Amino acid sequence: MIVRIDFTAVPQHDVILPPLSSKVVKNLILSSKLLPSLSKLVESRAKNKPIFISNLGRGGKRLFSTGNPIHVKAGEELNFFISFPYYDSFYSELSSGVFETGYGKFYIDVEQVFILDPNKLKDVEVDGKNFLVKFLTPALLSSKVLLPPVLREKYKGVNVGYSLIPSVGLLVAYAYRVYRALLGDTSNGEYDVKAYKLGVLGNALSRVLGYDLSPLTVIIGKDDKGRERVTRGFVGWMEFDIVYKKLKRAVAKYLLLSSFLGIGKSRGIGFGEVEVELKPIR
C-alpha cells in the first residue's frame, strides 16, 4: 500500500526559500522532525525510489526558482505532500507544531491522509475514457529508457539530456518503473525488458489527442565552486488514448499511481509531480 499525507506549512517570519522549496520538507525528515523512518529512503541512492516529496505550494502553484529568489511572508499558508510505502508506525511519527529548519521556522500541520492499495487500480473502468496527464512541476524524462536492455550498457555514457516533448511510450515506461519500485527491487533484467516492451507498445498503440507543453529551466542549487546548477524539463498537459484494451488497463494502473509518486527522475525533490485522470470521451 502507499500513503500520501497532505500538510500545511506556515512560516513564522519572512523567509527566502531555497530554489527547490522541497528542500524545506526534506530537511524536516532528515532532522527527524517529521516521519524520521523515511530518512534512509530519502538518503538512498537507489534508482526509482518509491517516494515523492513535493515542493511547497502557494495559491495552487508549486514554488521553485526559474531565476528569481522565492520570498514568502510570515503567516502565508503553504502546502506540500509526501507519498511513500505504508509502514505501521507512520501515524505515531506525525505531529503538529513549530519546527526549526535550515530555512527558517515553520508551523507544520497535517491536513489529510490517503492510503491506497495499488491492486485496486486494476479494477478502474477505462472504457470510453482518455488519459489526461497534467505536469505540475517539470518532468525529467530521458529517452534512453526506451533503449533495448541489451544496448543499455553500450550507450550508458551517452548524455542525451531530458526530453521536452514526451512520447506516450516514454511516460508508460517511467510509470511502470515507479510501480515496480513500490513492489520491490527494480534491478532485475526481467523488469527492464517489460519496461522496454511497454514503452514500444505505448508508442505503437496510442494516439495523442491534444497537448500543451512548455519547456522550463529550473535552478536546483549551486555546485561546490558556487556556480549555479540548473536542469530543464517540461510542464503542461497531454491527452491520449491507448487503443488496445488489455494494454490500456495496465497503463491505467501504472499512470494513476503516478498521481501519488510522480513520474521521471528527481521525484524525491519535487520534480515530475503529475495529476492523472481518466477523462470521459465526448
Side-chain angles (χ1 to χ4, degrees):
M1 292 192 292
I2 187 168
V3 180
R4 168 176 164 155
I5 307 177
D6 289 7
F7 299 85
T8 55
V10 180
Q12 301 303 286
H13 49 82
D14 293 358
V15 296
I16 299 177
L17 296 176
L20 288 178
S21 61
S22 58
K23 290 183 178 180
V24 175
V25 185
K26 189 174 179 180
N27 181 275
L28 287 167
I29 296 172
L30 294 180
S31 59
S32 298
K33 298 181 178 72
L34 193 67
L35 298 167
S37 292
L38 293 179
S39 293
K40 287 185 178 180
L41 186 57
V42 170
E43 293 182 311
S44 169
R45 293 184 174 274
K47 295 181 179 179
N48 306 308
K49 294 188 295 185
I51 187 170
F52 187 88
I53 299 173
S54 82
N55 286 286
L56 300 177
R58 175 177 60 189
K61 293 184 177 181
R62 293 297 178 199
L63 300 176
F64 50 83
S65 177
T66 57
N68 297 319
I70 308 168
H71 296 270
V72 178
K73 293 187 176 297
E76 281 194 79
E77 185 172 294
L78 310 175
N79 61 79
F80 66 92
F81 75 89
I82 306 171
S83 293
F84 53 90
Y86 177 92
Y87 59 94
D88 289 337
S89 63
F90 84 86
Y91 272 114
S92 65
E93 296 181 352
L94 295 175
S95 59
S96 300
V98 175
F99 300 106
E100 182 74 56
T101 74
Y103 309 99
K105 287 184 179 180
F106 293 82
Y107 175 76
I108 306 296
D109 195 15
V110 177
E111 282 292 295
Q112 49 191 343
V113 177
F114 303 90
I115 299 178
L116 172 71
D117 181 355
N119 290 322
K120 293 185 177 180
L121 294 177
K122 66 183 179 182
D123 300 322
V124 172
E125 183 55 58
V126 297
D127 289 346
K129 296 178 181 179
N130 295 327
F131 295 97
L132 178 62
V133 184
K134 299 177 183 177
F135 303 93
L136 306 180
T137 61
L140 307 180
L141 309 179
S142 170
S143 57
K144 285 176 68 176
V145 303
L146 296 178
L147 279 172
V150 294
L151 295 178
R152 200 157 291 164
E153 189 64 28
K154 180 178 180 180
Y155 296 104
K156 184 177 180 180
V158 178
N159 181 10
V160 298
Y162 297 121
S163 297
L164 300 181
I165 303 178
S167 67
V168 173
L170 193 58
L171 296 179
V172 172
Y174 266 107
Y176 173 73
R177 285 167 174 264
V178 175
Y179 173 81
R180 284 303 322 177
L182 180 63
L183 300 181
D185 184 20
T186 58
S187 57
N188 183 305
E190 179 185 345
Y191 303 147
D192 285 344
V193 170
K194 184 165 183 179
Y196 167 68
K197 288 182 176 179
L198 284 167
V200 172
L201 291 172
N203 281 336
L205 301 177
S206 65
R207 55 179 174 227
V208 176
L209 302 165
Y211 62 91
D212 184 2
L213 302 170
S214 302
L216 196 61
T217 300
V218 178
I219 297 171
I220 56 177
K222 294 185 177 181
D223 63 17
D224 53 6
K225 295 183 179 179
R227 296 174 298 194
E228 210 168 67
R229 296 172 58 221
V230 301
T231 193
R232 190 165 170 83
F234 64 89
V235 294
W237 61 268
M238 184 177 182
E239 182 178 353
F240 59 91
D241 189 22
I242 302 285
V243 298
Y244 183 55
K245 189 172 182 179
K246 184 177 179 181
L247 177 63
K248 187 173 184 176
R249 287 191 179 280
V251 169
K253 179 170 60 175
Y254 308 143
L255 280 177
L256 289 170
L257 189 65
S258 297
S259 290
F260 281 70
L261 288 171
I263 199 163
K265 295 188 175 183
S266 299
R267 294 171 296 101
I269 51 175
F271 285 102
E273 181 180 347
V274 296
E275 288 181 359
V276 180
E277 64 177 272
L278 288 164
K279 178 182 175 183
I281 299 173
R282 296 179 180 177

